[in-house]
């Protein structure tokens, strides 16, 4: 998601933002596994299994404002991928813009790569400011939230936001399971990073809070998922397992000379899109890897297992 930088007013730590009235009280600092938002304290899943990932954020103020956006909606798990400012959690601008969400900001995890941020995640959605010719399926925030609700029943999920200036790279987008696009005013669609986080967090909050009434009825326009079908789903594959599968499959396709490394075109991107629509289970990943292994053996190529 490409977002405009945040303007920080020094000396105004309690600066009122448009969404200030959403602020929640009595939030527990140990938020990795709990949320003490009174509305969600008794709910499982969603609020505690959802992490928000900011990839290479440039401005400390945006990081602080994003932490505030999460706390107002009852979320608390913030992950920062290689932020431009070291120790951004203690930066004065970030703290000022967090405006009471210091606990969420201080507890943010900092990791070097998106792969690290998605460790243990079985489903992720990337926010993008533009239509992509290739890549995962794309949804509105509301439809994406409905899909996220179903996926959260199976384990850890993540929402991924790009750098304020350049957004997410194609590689980062393809690592995710789906895309979300905020249908803003086409004449002026520039959203601040924290505003984008707020929109997605709000939609997730609404669907998580109402899902207890009927967890089988998807929101209007939302895709049907395995969770909504009669057939029970198996254990979902984690992000790192899926990435290893793609690396293994790519090696096999090269061995077959079906894929030309010098001119790959969009083959792997299209395959990623195809598999992203299915919501891969761990057993299915193992099947694909078994096929890749035998292709490599039959073609006389070494199978190193591609970890």
């Amino acid at each position: 998601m490409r977002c405009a930088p945040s303007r920080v007013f020094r000396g105004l730590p309690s600066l009122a933002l448009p969404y200030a009235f959403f602020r929640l009280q009595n939030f527990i600092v140990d938020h990795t596994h709990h949320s003490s938002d009174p509305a969600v304290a008794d709910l499982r899943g969603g609020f505690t299994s959802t992490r928000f990932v900011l990839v290479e954020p440039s401005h400390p103020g945006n990081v602080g404002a994003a932490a505030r956006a999460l706390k107002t909606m009852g979320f608390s798990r913030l992950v920062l991928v290689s932020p431009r400012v070291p120790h951004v959690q203690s930066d004065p601008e970030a703290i000022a813009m967090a405006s009471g969400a210091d606990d969420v900001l201080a507890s943010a995890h900092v990791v070097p790569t998106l792969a690290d941020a998605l460790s243990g995640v079985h489903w992720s959605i990337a926010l993008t400011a533009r239509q992509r010719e290739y890549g995962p399926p794309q949804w509105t925030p509301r439809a994406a939230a409905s899909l996220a609700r179903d996926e959260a029943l199976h384990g850890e999920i993540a929402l991924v936001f790009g750098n304020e200036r350049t957004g997410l790279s194609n590689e980062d987008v393809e690592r995710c399971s789906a895309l979300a696009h905020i249908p803003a005013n086409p004449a002026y669609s520039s959203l601040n990073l924290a505003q984008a986080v707020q929109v997605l967090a709000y939609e997730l909050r609404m669907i998580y809070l109402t899902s207890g009434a009927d967890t089988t009825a998807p929101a209007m326009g939302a895709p049907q998922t395995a969770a909504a079908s009669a057939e029970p789903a198996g254990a979902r594959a984690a992000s790192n397992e899926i990435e290893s599968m793609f690396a293994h499959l790519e090696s096999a396709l090269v061995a077959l000379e079906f894929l030309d490394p010098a001119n790959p075109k969009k083959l792997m991107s299209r395959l990623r899109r195809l598999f992203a629509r299915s919501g891969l289970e761990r057993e299915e990943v193992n099947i694909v890897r078994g096929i890749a292994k035998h292709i490599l053996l039959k073609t006389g190529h070494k199978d190193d297992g591609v970890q």
Side-chain angles (χ1 to χ4, degrees):
M1 181 73 187
R2 296 185 63 184
C3 306
S6 170
R7 178 175 297 175
V8 178
F9 294 86
R10 297 183 182 276
L12 294 177
S14 59
L15 181 65
L17 297 182
Y19 49 80
F21 59 88
F22 286 120
R23 184 174 180 179
L24 303 173
Q25 303 298 324
N26 302 323
F27 209 83
I28 290 178
V29 174
D30 179 18
H31 57 257
T32 301
H33 304 290
H34 303 87
S35 170
S36 60
D37 174 356
V40 306
D42 295 330
L43 298 178
R44 296 181 179 181
F47 287 94
T48 54
S49 63
T50 301
R51 66 185 74 168
F52 288 73
V53 180
L54 309 185
V55 179
E56 299 180 0
S58 300
H59 302 279
N62 281 337
V63 175
R68 180 178 182 176
L70 295 189
K71 186 168 182 175
T72 60
M73 294 296 107
F75 295 96
S76 56
R77 300 182 64 185
L78 180 61
V79 182
L80 309 175
V81 177
S82 189
R84 179 172 297 178
V85 177
H87 310 296
V88 66
Q89 303 98 311
S90 58
D91 186 273
E93 292 185 357
I95 293 172
M97 291 302 287
S99 189
D102 307 60
D103 51 343
V104 176
L105 177 62
S107 299
H109 293 280
V110 178
V111 295
T113 68
L114 180 57
D116 294 316
L118 296 180
S119 177
V121 167
H122 80 86
W123 185 87
S124 57
I125 187 161
L127 193 66
T128 179
R130 62 185 185 277
Q131 299 287 335
R132 307 259 181 168
E133 181 181 2
Y134 299 98
Q138 184 163 296
W139 309 101
T140 65
R142 190 155 300 173
S146 181
L147 182 58
R149 172 197 61 183
D150 295 336
E151 296 295 342
L153 297 174
H154 300 281
E156 297 280 313
I157 69 171
L159 282 78
V160 181
F161 301 80
N163 172 272
E164 294 94 329
R165 187 176 63 85
T166 59
L168 291 168
S169 68
N170 288 334
E171 181 181 356
D172 288 342
V173 167
E174 290 185 351
R175 186 176 286 271
C176 296
S177 312
L179 293 177
H181 174 74
I182 298 174
N185 175 9
Y188 186 71
S189 59
S190 177
L191 280 172
N192 171 265
L193 175 59
Q195 292 171 333
V197 171
Q198 187 81 75
V199 169
L200 269 293
Y202 168 78
E203 294 292 353
L204 282 174
R205 178 180 176 83
M206 291 300 97
I207 199 71
Y208 285 171
L209 290 178
T210 59
S211 62
D214 184 1
T215 58
T216 63
M220 183 178 296
Q224 291 286 346
T225 66
S229 66
E231 182 180 354
R236 295 300 177 91
S239 174
N240 58 302
E241 294 172 329
I242 293 173
E243 287 304 311
S244 294
M245 179 200 76
F246 281 123
H248 208 169
L249 179 59
E250 184 174 1
S251 295
L253 294 176
V254 170
L256 282 174
E257 298 184 357
F258 187 82
L259 172 62
D260 180 2
N263 187 27
K265 298 182 179 179
K266 295 292 182 179
L267 177 60
M268 293 308 299
S269 294
R270 289 182 182 276
L271 287 175
R272 282 177 175 273
R273 182 178 177 87
L274 183 152
F275 282 115
R277 286 198 295 265
S278 65
L280 287 168
E281 298 173 10
R282 184 166 293 150
E283 183 177 348
E284 294 166 340
V285 166
N286 290 336
I287 290 172
V288 174
R289 296 199 65 174
I291 294 171
K293 177 179 180 178
H294 280 274
I295 288 174
L296 290 169
L297 292 175
K298 290 293 185 180
T299 55
H301 290 77
K302 181 181 178 182
D303 176 31
D304 58 8
V306 188
Q307 297 301 314

